[in-house]
Amino acid sequence: MSSGEQAPNVAALIGDLDRLAGAFADEIGALATEQEIRLAQARYLGKKGRVSELMKALGRLPPEERPAVGEAANRAKASIEGAVATRLAALDEADLAADLARVVDVTLPARGAALGTLHPLTLVRREIEGIFLGLGFEVRTGPWVETEWNNFDALNTPPDHPARDMQDTFFVEGGRILRSHTSPVQIRTMLSEPPPIRIVAPGNVFRRDDDATHTPMFPQMEGLLVDKGVSFADLKGTLLYFVHRFFGPNLGVRLRPSYFPFTEPSAEVDAACYLCAGSGLSAGRSCRLCKGSGWIEIGGAGMVHPNVFRAVGYDPQAVSGFAFGMGLSRMAMLKFEVDDLRSFYEHDVRFLAQFR
Amino acid sequence: MKISFNWLRELCDLKPGVTADSVAGKLTLAGLEVESIERRGRDLTGVLVAEVRAVRPHPSAEKLSIVRLAAGGAEEEVVCGAPASTLPPAGGRVAWAPPGATLPGGRKLDQREIRGVMSPGMLCSEVELGLGESGDGILILPPETPVGVDLARQVGLLDEVLEVNVTPNRPDALSHAGIAREVAALYETSWRLPPPDEVLQAPLAQGRGIDVEIRDPSACPRYAARIITGLRASRSPLALRVRLGACGVRAISNLVDVTNYVMLETGHPLHAFDLDRLQGGIAVRRAGRGERMKTLDGIDRPLQENDIVIADARGAIALGGVMGGADSEVSASTTAVLLEAATFDPRAVRRTSKRLGLRSEASHRFERGVDAEGIAHASRRAAAMLARLGGGALAGEGIDRYPVQQHPRRVTLSFGGLSRLAGFEIPLSQAAEKLAAIGIASVPDGDDKLAATVPTFRPDVTIEEDLVEEVMRLVGYDRAPARLPQGSGAPATSPDAPADRARDALAALGLSEIISWGFVPRAWLAALGGELESGVAVKNPISADYEVMRTSLLPGLVDAAKRNLARSVPDIGLFEVGPVIKKRAADDQKEPPTEPLAAAALLVGRRPGWLKPEAACDFFDIKRIAREVLRALGIADPVFTPAGRTPSSLLHPGAGAEIHAGVAGGPLVGQVGEVHPRLLRKLGLGARAFYLEVALDAVGGERRPVRSVAPPRFPASSRDLSFWIDVEVSADEQRALMLSASEPILRDLAVLEDYRDAHTVPAGKKGMLWTLTYRADERTLTDAEVDAAHARVVAALKSAPSVAIRQ
Ligand SMILES: [Zn+2]
């Protein structure tokens, strides 16, 4: 500090500082952007701002007078900062108000693609797979083009057996056939693995039928469980579990004696009609789903025939097992109330779009 | 198999209250599923058997007559449309439909005046009663018919016919007797086979004896022949015709109807030859090479060596078990027949009938196995019935050749085996009772076994498991408890997992899944050309639409798009996931075809959304789908190389790409692009289409574990870079140029624009705008550092002579 300068007038200095706040408030009242306000703030409070200019005199004051001036400087600073904050808040409020004035027509459609859809036959396959995965079954698949041995002979259906008429088969070049059921997957699995076996095998199968209730290709789901001491009661319990999960709790299962070459005993599987809860009556009339019988057919099942075990090298004395099969188109028709089997194969996106 | 409930009641002692519905229910639950019940004769009501008292001509119409009759009440006079001469004399029986009666077709009778005479109802003809297509004149009933009874009931028209679905293992159930045996077991009552009629027995006339020789016992284990002489062909009695009709068999003449009737009753097919048209003895043998025969339907057929023929001295007169021959057929002039009751090798019958397309009631039974032990009864029953209905006599004792004796089978049922398979306990004493009810006798064999004797009519019961099923079905499957299997399998991934992941991704991208036929028209594959043209052919397709296995999912998707366009749905996004069938090379046909799994998608029309309603889909829409599906399948950085360099028949040469996993030259995992316009023309789709195909097997399918990296802690700086470059230089090549600077802080390069506006871009060039992102992991970069790095990248880019940087 140079000693030649005169000590400033304290009162005048305080007065100047106190006036700065007022001047600042006037100045920013006309400013409309945050940037201008910040620039103005810098002109007052920056290193070379007006408050700093005035405070240069502080060093020349006698020490006992400095606190009063410092106080005034702080007052001015606080007042200016307060004015900035207030002004910025007001500007922000105005922006907000302007923003809030916008109106969108919320009834206009959404942008972009809708979710696509899985095919209803995929949906039921997955649902059924999920049910059996929960029981410890694994999912296996097999080829469409099969050998007659895997499709028939190994399943206790030798050539010229009348049971071959139950499935009118497609033959392809190379001496093979299109599998007429998913049962060859049983054979493939047992040939490659020792018991115990617990599998479900979904897949398309092929038969020479083409009318309102048959398509030449259709999806089936096969199930096979082989272990020590497996009985008909296990089959019944497994199917009951499935029906409860798929169609609804408390519905019964009925096994009716039937015939498949690869099972003995064999059964047709009926589930209690979920629409009429097995009563056969719906709204006082004969139930349209089960035609009043109270039951809907869902597939075939039985205990694995010893000849099937022999064909794959299992010892029928040591293990037993059950197998079941069901048509997934029928399951999907029941589940989604589809009346026309053909709908699954007509690729009509207006139909398919429902399965979201 | 159609089962007449009236007939069943004759064979089986059922309580009066037992209904057809209740029998149907029990049969169904015992494994003989009754698919439907036809209620016959319900539309014929109130028609009565009446006795003719007198007949006189109509006073004013000579073609009409007036019949005075009585049907238990007062006499009435009915005008009849037949002349008096054709009507029975007094005491004859006729069918009278009085006022109030209804006839098939809904006709209701009333009192009306006919040419001045009041007629209460009418006399009915067979046609009017719904008994046949022809039949002139009114129905005349046998004189012993009781008067005043309901006609429908009297002749068996009022009946319920059970359509029983007999599974192929149960030849024993292909007859009324077989079903009666089952029903009797289910109702714990008795049943019986009607005994043969007592008929005239005549000595065999000189020279009429016929010898039978079975030359191949494997073809024919038993052959019985009887001769019936003095016959007269005529119509069968009404009740018999009604019964055949109920079972779906057309009545022809008494001589033929009897064979059908006895077959429906006993399950044994029978055949009647016209005796006078046979020459010499009969031989049962396999057909000779080049042998031919004219079957009943008049067709001359070439035979094969495995066919079983019945031959006389001149040659084949019948195809054993399949069809008779035209030359030995009974006719209206037949007076003597040779009645055949035999059993043939089921396989041979099946092969022959299948090859010739001759499936008959007889072949259906022989294929499944006709009981040799029942032949004597069937032969005797039919012969006696023929003699009775044809007014003839049994001549001689008949011949019965039985070279291969059939024996009942011994099968053991153990308590352990029964309980283990059933999963619950059935006492052996109860099992024995149930088996006895269906003709399977048994005796205890030690404490815990039954030694069962299975009769020959149950060829399906050969092992213990078969007996278990018999016992269980008679006890009732509903007796079995339900429980979940013990133990548990090992949870495992589904082999379909990649396929299902692809499905989920494609659906999430807005596409709809379709399922198309595995077989396609050959023309579709021809349109694809190249390797895809040759598919595995179906040898017996239902139609030309299903003649060869698909080799690609593309044609099916295009077909689906076409169908939707035809339904006026213009914007289509579809996908399919499934196997395609790839034929092996010609020298490797012993191996099965391969069935790789593919996922494919097709876009047609406009991009979804309403803001730019006319924006058509293009390559980059399908590429987005490709990128996301591959990402879902674990391929994060697929490389797209122009397919134009390796021409694909499927894609537009300038707008298609091969997709490689990882690096260029890595495994080919698919292709994506605009469908080749020529292919679309061939497949008949009149709109641009964009196609993606992913080879799921090439992708692998192991979902890679995610190894996460912490997000960057220091900020990035970006610089835009705009330049002209030759149109041939692809974005990947530009990227490679910029990356050649090896700037460690250059972290990302993204294309913002590729513009080719002819007004602003120099010829042969395109304008590119990239944005480059710089970042260091351990500190915030200074502007100077970024500028310096960017300058080096620009310099690297400029090393390509075609580049001109724009500011
Ligand atoms: Zn119902």
Side-chain angles (χ1 to χ4, degrees):
Chain A
M1 173 183 316
S2 73
S3 57
E5 288 183 51
Q6 212 178 8
N9 178 330
V10 172
L13 195 54
I14 291 175
D16 285 349
L17 282 169
D18 284 346
R19 274 190 298 278
L20 272 186
F24 180 76
D26 290 347
E27 199 169 317
I28 65 168
L31 302 181
T33 70
E34 181 177 355
Q35 196 187 12
E36 291 167 336
I37 293 165
R38 293 291 181 199
L39 284 172
Q41 187 185 10
R43 284 198 299 280
Y44 280 78
L45 297 183
K47 280 181 189 158
K48 293 176 179 174
R50 294 176 66 178
V51 174
S52 299
E53 286 296 321
L54 291 174
M55 289 301 280
K56 280 179 184 165
L58 196 65
R60 300 200 300 272
L61 288 178
E64 68 278 9
E65 290 183 346
R66 288 182 193 172
V69 176
E71 224 172 88
N74 285 340
R75 221 167 30 241
K77 215 169 162 183
S79 169
I80 287 168
E81 280 170 350
V84 167
T86 308
R87 181 68 189 137
L88 284 180
L91 278 181
D92 191 49
E93 204 50 49
D95 282 353
L96 202 54
D99 197 30
L100 290 173
R102 282 181 301 110
V103 177
V104 167
D105 180 355
V106 296
T107 66
L108 282 171
R111 181 178 291 123
L115 278 181
T117 49
L118 293 173
H119 196 279
L121 296 176
T122 297
L123 295 175
V124 289
R125 169 180 61 77
R126 285 193 180 178
E127 182 174 350
I128 297 173
E129 277 178 9
I131 293 169
F132 286 103
L133 284 170
L135 285 177
F137 284 66
E138 297 176 28
V139 180
R140 294 298 164 87
T141 56
W144 287 358
V145 177
E146 261 295 1
T147 61
E148 280 194 58
W149 193 84
N150 280 341
N151 195 79
F152 287 124
D153 300 62
L155 289 159
N156 197 32
T157 317
D160 297 318
H161 193 289
R164 287 204 175 188
D165 285 351
M166 293 164 89
Q167 301 172 0
D168 196 355
T169 309
F170 284 108
F171 293 86
V172 298
E173 58 183 319
R176 292 187 171 77
I177 61 168
L178 298 182
R179 63 177 178 190
S180 58
H181 48 182
T182 41
S183 307
V185 183
Q186 286 186 29
I187 299 302
R188 287 174 173 271
T189 305
M190 288 192 282
L191 280 174
S192 61
E193 292 164 41
I197 300 281
R198 240 177 229 240
I199 57 160
V200 285
N204 279 311
V205 303
F206 302 83
R207 292 185 200 170
R208 296 189 75 249
D209 281 324
D210 198 3
D211 55 40
T213 55
H214 298 88
T215 51
M217 177 183 97
F218 59 97
Q220 269 192 343
M221 174 88 76
E222 185 88 3
L224 173 70
L225 186 147
V226 181
D227 207 339
K228 291 195 179 80
V230 179
S231 76
F232 195 81
D234 297 311
L235 168 62
K236 196 165 173 180
T238 303
L239 293 169
L240 193 64
Y241 175 86
F242 163 74
V243 165
H244 288 175
R245 290 299 181 97
F246 190 76
F247 290 111
N250 308 321
L251 292 173
V253 160
R254 182 175 76 171
L255 297 177
R256 270 187 290 121
S258 187
Y259 169 71
F260 306 104
F262 36 94
T263 49
E264 189 74 33
S266 301
E268 296 282 354
V269 185
D270 299 337
C273 175
Y274 60 84
L275 198 63
C276 60
S279 69
L281 290 174
S282 150
R285 299 169 143 202
S286 178
C287 172
R288 66 181 160 81
L289 188 64
C290 61
K291 311 271 186 293
S293 73
W295 296 99
I296 45 183
E297 280 188 43
I298 61 169
M303 303 305 295
V304 179
H305 197 287
N307 287 350
V308 175
F309 284 142
R310 285 187 196 102
V312 297
Y314 281 14
D315 177 3
Q317 299 298 319
V319 292
S320 57
F322 64 72
F324 57 84
M326 57 184 109
L328 294 182
S329 334
R330 176 154 176 79
M331 296 294 126
M333 290 175 82
L334 291 169
K335 191 90 185 177
F336 302 124
E337 302 193 359
V338 173
D339 293 330
D340 182 3
L341 174 66
R342 297 266 147 189
S343 319
F344 295 134
Y345 301 101
E346 282 169 351
H347 318 313
D348 190 331
V349 294
R350 297 165 302 179
F351 170 74
L352 298 172
Q354 303 170 86
F355 299 93
R356 297 202 190 277
Chain B
M1 170 92 203
K2 288 182 190 293
I3 296 293
S4 151
F5 193 57
N6 287 346
W7 200 343
L8 191 64
R9 273 194 171 282
E10 262 177 38
L11 303 179
C12 186
D13 298 315
L14 289 172
K15 291 198 174 110
V18 173
T19 62
D21 293 85
S22 121
V23 167
K26 284 217 181 206
L27 281 173
T28 295
L29 287 182
L32 291 161
E33 185 187 4
V34 177
E35 292 179 331
S36 59
I37 301 178
E38 181 197 357
R39 296 177 209 280
R40 292 172 68 89
R42 294 294 192 274
D43 47 4
L44 181 66
T45 62
V47 178
L48 303 174
V49 177
E51 180 186 352
V52 176
R53 292 284 165 83
V55 180
R56 61 187 165 89
H58 192 285
S60 54
E62 57 185 79
K63 286 188 176 163
L64 303 181
S65 46
I66 294 173
V67 180
R68 187 147 55 82
L69 50 73
E75 287 190 354
E76 302 266 7
E77 285 201 330
V78 179
V79 177
C80 176
S85 61
T86 65
L87 295 173
R93 303 287 195 266
V94 291
W96 173 42
T102 58
L103 299 181
R107 181 167 171 200
K108 198 171 166 96
L109 275 298
D110 55 12
Q111 181 126 349
R112 70 168 57 176
E113 193 186 292
I114 299 172
R115 303 289 290 270
V117 179
M118 279 306 284
S119 179
M122 63 186 256
L123 301 189
C124 302
S125 71
E126 287 198 24
V127 176
E128 284 158 340
L129 293 169
L131 288 172
E133 304 98 66
S134 65
D136 40 347
I138 65 155
L139 172 64
I140 298 168
L141 295 156
E144 66 273 15
T145 314
V147 172
V149 301
D150 181 82
L151 178 88
R153 201 171 291 279
Q154 175 64 27
V155 299
L157 271 168
L158 200 65
D159 198 356
E160 285 149 304
V161 179
L162 281 54
E163 183 65 69
V164 185
N165 175 12
V166 179
T167 52
N169 60 322
R170 295 292 306 273
D172 65 294
L174 290 170
S175 65
H176 283 74
I179 298 291
R181 177 166 49 229
E182 287 281 321
V183 170
L186 295 170
Y187 284 89
E188 299 180 342
T189 182
S190 57
W191 73 284
R192 79 208 59 79
L193 267 176
D197 297 325
E198 290 300 325
V199 289
L200 208 58
Q201 187 86 35
L204 197 58
Q206 193 70 30
R208 300 217 77 174
I210 284 204
D211 196 22
V212 172
E213 182 193 358
I214 297 177
R215 298 220 181 119
D216 183 350
S218 75
C220 175
R222 187 172 190 177
Y223 194 103
R226 284 180 183 274
I227 288 170
I228 306 100
T229 54
L231 296 170
R232 198 172 59 83
S234 65
R235 295 180 83 189
S236 296
L238 181 61
L240 190 149
R241 283 185 281 132
V242 165
R243 201 161 266 191
L244 289 180
C247 296
V249 175
R250 204 159 60 89
I252 294 166
S253 78
N254 53 355
L255 305 187
V256 176
D257 294 348
V258 164
T259 62
N260 285 327
Y261 185 89
V262 175
M263 175 182 72
L264 294 173
E265 181 178 87
T266 65
H268 286 269
L270 300 145
H271 186 69
F273 295 99
D274 186 332
L275 185 67
D276 295 317
R277 297 169 76 180
L278 302 183
Q279 286 207 350
I282 280 186
V284 187
R285 56 170 171 80
R286 305 274 179 174
R289 194 183 292 268
E291 193 165 3
R292 303 181 72 86
M293 196 195 87
K294 195 196 252 181
T295 42
L296 269 179
D297 48 14
I299 300 172
D300 186 45
R301 298 172 186 274
L303 304 183
Q304 287 187 0
E305 286 176 52
N306 198 47
D307 296 335
I308 302 167
V309 296
I310 318 300
D312 70 357
R314 285 177 303 186
I317 54 171
L319 270 171
V322 180
M323 193 178 254
D327 297 336
S328 57
E329 188 185 359
V330 296
S331 66
S333 59
T334 298
T335 60
V337 303
L338 181 138
L339 179 74
E340 165 196 290
T343 170
F344 300 102
D345 171 24
R347 280 153 201 240
V349 170
R350 184 177 151 80
R351 273 197 285 265
T352 302
S353 71
K354 225 179 158 178
R355 187 186 80 243
L356 299 176
L358 292 173
R359 312 309 277 270
S360 61
E361 292 271 348
S363 72
H364 185 78
R365 287 172 173 79
F366 282 120
E367 276 181 22
R368 284 155 176 74
V370 166
D371 178 23
E373 288 291 291
I375 279 178
H377 170 80
S379 171
R380 172 93 194 163
R381 165 93 171 135
M385 208 164 153
L386 269 177
R388 178 166 60 84
L389 297 182
L394 282 183
E397 281 305 315
I399 289 171
D400 186 358
R401 303 282 178 240
Y402 194 8
V404 187
Q405 177 78 38
Q406 306 291 301
H407 299 286
R409 201 177 293 104
R410 309 250 174 243
V411 183
T412 302
L413 176 66
S414 70
F415 180 69
L418 178 57
S419 321
R420 260 198 308 279
L421 206 53
F424 65 106
E425 295 190 352
I426 302 170
L428 281 186
S429 57
Q430 191 189 0
E433 255 173 54
K434 293 295 179 190
L435 292 174
I438 53 168
I440 301 178
S442 62
V443 292
D445 175 7
D447 283 348
D448 58 353
K449 284 195 187 112
L450 282 182
T453 305
V454 180
T456 51
F457 60 77
R458 288 302 303 270
D460 57 314
V461 178
T462 61
I463 57 175
E464 182 175 28
E465 286 78 359
D466 297 325
L467 286 178
V468 171
E469 180 177 73
E470 292 306 305
V471 172
M472 282 183 67
R473 74 180 179 87
L474 294 171
V475 166
Y477 276 9
D478 57 342
R479 280 275 316 279
R483 62 165 175 258
L484 282 179
Q486 299 292 303
S488 66
T493 55
S494 147
D496 239 5
D500 270 346
R501 285 218 297 281
R503 283 187 181 96
D504 284 336
L506 288 160
L509 290 161
L511 307 184
S512 292
E513 185 183 16
I514 64 158
I515 293 176
S516 68
W517 304 126
F519 19 49
V520 296
R522 199 176 284 282
W524 289 10
L525 299 194
L528 297 176
E531 277 182 6
L532 299 177
E533 185 167 353
S534 166
V536 174
V538 178
K539 284 157 86 176
N540 56 340
I542 295 179
S543 77
D545 286 341
Y546 314 120
E547 55 189 343
V548 52
M549 302 308 289
R550 68 185 181 197
T551 55
S552 162
L553 297 177
L554 185 143
L557 283 163
V558 168
D559 176 61
K562 274 167 64 179
R563 289 160 180 256
N564 281 293
L565 289 175
R567 297 173 189 125
S568 300
V569 179
D571 305 316
I572 302 151
L574 300 173
F575 76 91
E576 177 160 23
V577 177
V580 291
I581 313 297
K582 304 273 189 179
K583 204 170 173 172
R584 299 269 181 175
D587 54 340
D588 201 9
Q589 295 278 323
K590 282 207 186 76
E591 289 297 306
T594 58
E595 302 192 7
L597 266 180
L602 192 79
L603 295 179
V604 174
R606 296 161 303 183
R607 201 166 292 150
W610 57 278
L611 286 177
K612 292 181 180 171
E614 294 311 319
C617 284
D618 65 20
F619 176 85
F620 302 101
D621 293 291
I622 194 77
K623 188 175 178 185
R624 164 174 174 263
I625 290 166
R627 184 191 65 195
E628 297 306 321
V629 169
L630 290 167
R631 194 166 280 171
L633 292 167
I635 297 180
D637 297 303
V639 176
F640 297 81
T641 55
R645 292 180 202 161
T646 49
S648 148
S649 56
L650 304 189
L651 301 180
H652 187 293
E658 288 186 342
I659 312 172
H660 295 268
V663 291
L668 181 68
V669 295
Q671 55 180 321
V672 63
E674 184 175 337
V675 181
H676 200 298
R678 183 170 291 129
L679 175 56
L680 287 184
R681 281 174 176 75
K682 285 179 186 166
L683 294 175
L685 180 65
R688 278 189 202 287
F690 299 87
Y691 180 64
L692 162 70
E693 179 182 291
V694 177
L696 293 172
D697 292 354
V699 165
E702 288 306 307
R703 191 193 279 276
R704 272 183 223 159
V706 174
R707 305 269 181 243
S708 75
V709 176
R713 292 171 54 208
F714 294 94
S717 298
S718 63
R719 297 288 184 273
D720 285 354
L721 177 53
S722 175
F723 53 90
W724 307 124
I725 194 164
D726 288 356
V727 288
E728 292 81 19
V729 185
S730 72
D732 270 0
E733 288 162 335
Q734 298 165 32
R735 178 193 309 272
L737 279 170
M738 292 183 269
L739 288 175
S740 71
S742 302
E743 271 308 322
I745 60 170
L746 175 58
R747 294 305 175 86
D748 193 27
L749 304 89
V751 177
L752 294 184
E753 272 186 71
D754 170 337
Y755 56 95
R756 305 179 183 208
D757 179 359
H759 297 294
T760 55
V761 181
K765 302 278 182 185
K766 58 187 174 186
M768 299 298 302
L769 174 59
W770 289 75
T771 185
L772 282 56
T773 304
Y774 297 90
R775 198 183 64 239
D777 289 339
E778 67 292 345
R779 66 203 159 83
T780 302
L781 293 171
T782 65
D783 281 354
E785 273 179 296
V786 174
D787 288 341
H790 188 62
R792 288 189 291 273
V793 171
V794 171
L797 176 67
K798 282 205 295 198
S799 70
S802 65
V803 174
I805 304 294
R806 304 174 64 221
Q807 289 310 322

